[in-house]
Amino acid sequence: MQTGDIQMAMFNAYVYLADNFISGQLSLAAFKKHLKVFGEQMFEHKQMVFHHLLRPIEQAVSNLLFSTGEPLLLIGRDKEQECILNKAIEQNNSFLAAQIFIFGCVEAYIYGDYELAVNFAQKRHELEFDVPFYGMTDFFDGLSFLAMAHQSSDQKWILSANKSISNIDNFAKICPSNCEHKLLLLQAEMKSMTGEAKEAISKYELAISAAERNEFIHEQAIANERAAEFFLRYGDSSRAAHHYGEAQSLFLKWGAQRKVDDLLMSIAL
């Protein structure tokens, strides 16, 4: 800003905000304040490209943070965002369209709308333009594909998940602190799919520990939720309740009140 390069300053602001959401280092309440400050600066300086890039992040944060009792509006069902997406496609702005699909997939997966999550993932792949976001993209793709595999015998979901796992494996070798827990959780979910219960339990435990060690609180919460679902399927309600409790506590610590409320309403215990 001081040198007059407004565009570069706003680009760096966007990268800072995206990285913060991906890492979960800030509570959602604190993060929302950062979004507001930088969003206003982007609007003031007419940097609407970056302002539009914040829209899917803003919506995800709002839908995680607030509990209003009203129906959840996931990305793709939001008229303003649909307008931005249609304009991006018309203008061949693959970067903006990809961001909408990426954060849409994350939000849809967290709320258990797996069909919507894989729909966003597939639309992003059709663009042939991707932003891996330090493994986050493949992580949520893989989780979404595996969730669909639990609901369907179609082998395409397993094949797609294996591609995501392979990509995460490569990321984990380069930067284990970002991706070790992601890889372990995807492996746990795959072991669960193939009926290797003992190996799945070990992977879930390792994923939870690695996420805690690397301070990815939101992904530690997701790992606990997945472990809870696993134990529930295997009839171990005691261990399922423990992991659901851990997931709720971690989501609440992150600031995702609405997700906590959603868990409390949907837990089958």
Side-chain angles (χ1 to χ4, degrees):
M1 294 284 283
Q2 291 177 345
T3 62
D5 194 340
I6 302 298
Q7 188 175 45
M8 180 56 71
M10 294 300 100
F11 171 75
N12 287 330
Y14 166 73
V15 171
Y16 164 78
L17 292 167
D19 286 354
N20 264 281
F21 180 78
I22 291 163
S23 68
Q25 294 297 303
L26 287 175
S27 71
L28 290 174
F31 181 66
K32 187 174 178 64
K33 292 178 182 177
H34 288 234
L35 278 171
K36 184 175 184 295
V37 169
F38 287 114
E40 287 174 351
Q41 289 183 1
M42 290 171 182
F43 189 82
E44 178 186 348
H45 293 287
K46 298 182 174 57
Q47 295 294 310
M48 300 311 294
V49 169
F50 301 117
H51 192 267
H52 288 159
L53 285 171
L54 292 188
R55 185 68 185 96
I57 304 176
E58 288 172 340
Q59 183 170 346
V61 170
S62 292
N63 281 343
L64 288 162
L65 187 60
F66 299 117
S67 184
T68 63
E70 297 175 359
L72 185 68
L73 270 178
L74 287 171
I75 296 167
R77 302 171 187 172
D78 175 85
K79 295 302 180 184
E80 179 187 352
Q81 187 127 290
E82 281 184 12
C83 181
I84 294 172
L85 175 59
N86 290 335
K87 195 169 184 179
I89 293 171
E90 286 173 11
Q91 297 175 350
N92 202 28
N93 187 342
S94 296
F95 185 75
L96 175 54
Q99 306 310 290
I100 293 172
F101 293 141
I102 287 168
F103 290 102
C105 178
V106 171
E107 185 185 348
Y109 178 81
I110 288 175
Y111 278 106
D113 194 336
Y114 304 130
E115 288 188 11
L116 183 59
V118 297
N119 180 259
F120 283 129
Q122 290 169 333
K123 285 182 177 179
R124 194 186 73 253
H125 292 161
E126 289 169 8
L127 291 175
E128 297 183 352
F129 183 96
D130 213 350
V131 183
F133 278 131
Y134 318 109
M136 184 198 75
T137 306
D138 285 299
F139 178 56
F140 280 97
D141 281 2
L143 288 174
S144 301
F145 294 141
L146 285 164
M148 290 300 294
H150 276 291
Q151 301 175 6
S152 167
S153 59
D154 195 331
Q155 285 298 303
K156 72 179 182 181
W157 302 121
I158 297 294
L159 294 173
S160 296
N162 277 327
K163 290 179 183 177
S164 296
I165 292 172
S166 178
N167 290 340
I168 289 289
D169 189 23
N170 290 331
F171 281 117
K173 290 172 184 174
I174 297 168
C175 188
S177 61
N178 279 341
C179 294
E180 176 190 13
H181 64 282
K182 293 178 173 69
L183 177 62
L184 287 165
L185 183 55
L186 287 171
Q187 290 172 338
E189 289 284 88
M190 184 61 79
K191 293 294 184 185
S192 172
M193 271 298 307
T194 55
E196 300 171 80
K198 186 176 179 180
E199 292 82 357
I201 292 169
S202 175
K203 294 288 187 180
Y204 282 124
E205 290 174 348
L206 290 169
I208 291 166
S209 296
E212 181 178 17
R213 183 172 61 254
N214 296 321
E215 299 182 336
F216 281 79
I217 188 172
H218 55 327
E219 292 174 0
Q220 184 186 352
I222 290 168
N224 271 284
E225 185 181 2
R226 299 269 53 83
E229 293 289 335
F230 168 83
F231 285 117
L232 197 60
R233 285 195 300 272
Y234 275 81
D236 191 336
S237 58
S238 176
R239 294 175 81 174
H242 166 74
H243 284 290
Y244 274 130
E246 288 293 303
Q248 289 171 28
S249 176
L250 290 161
F251 277 125
L252 193 59
K253 188 176 179 180
W254 187 35
Q257 179 64 57
R258 192 165 199 166
K259 171 60 180 177
V260 172
D261 294 345
D262 182 72
L263 268 177
L264 290 170
M265 289 188 293
S266 62
I267 290 174
L269 285 175

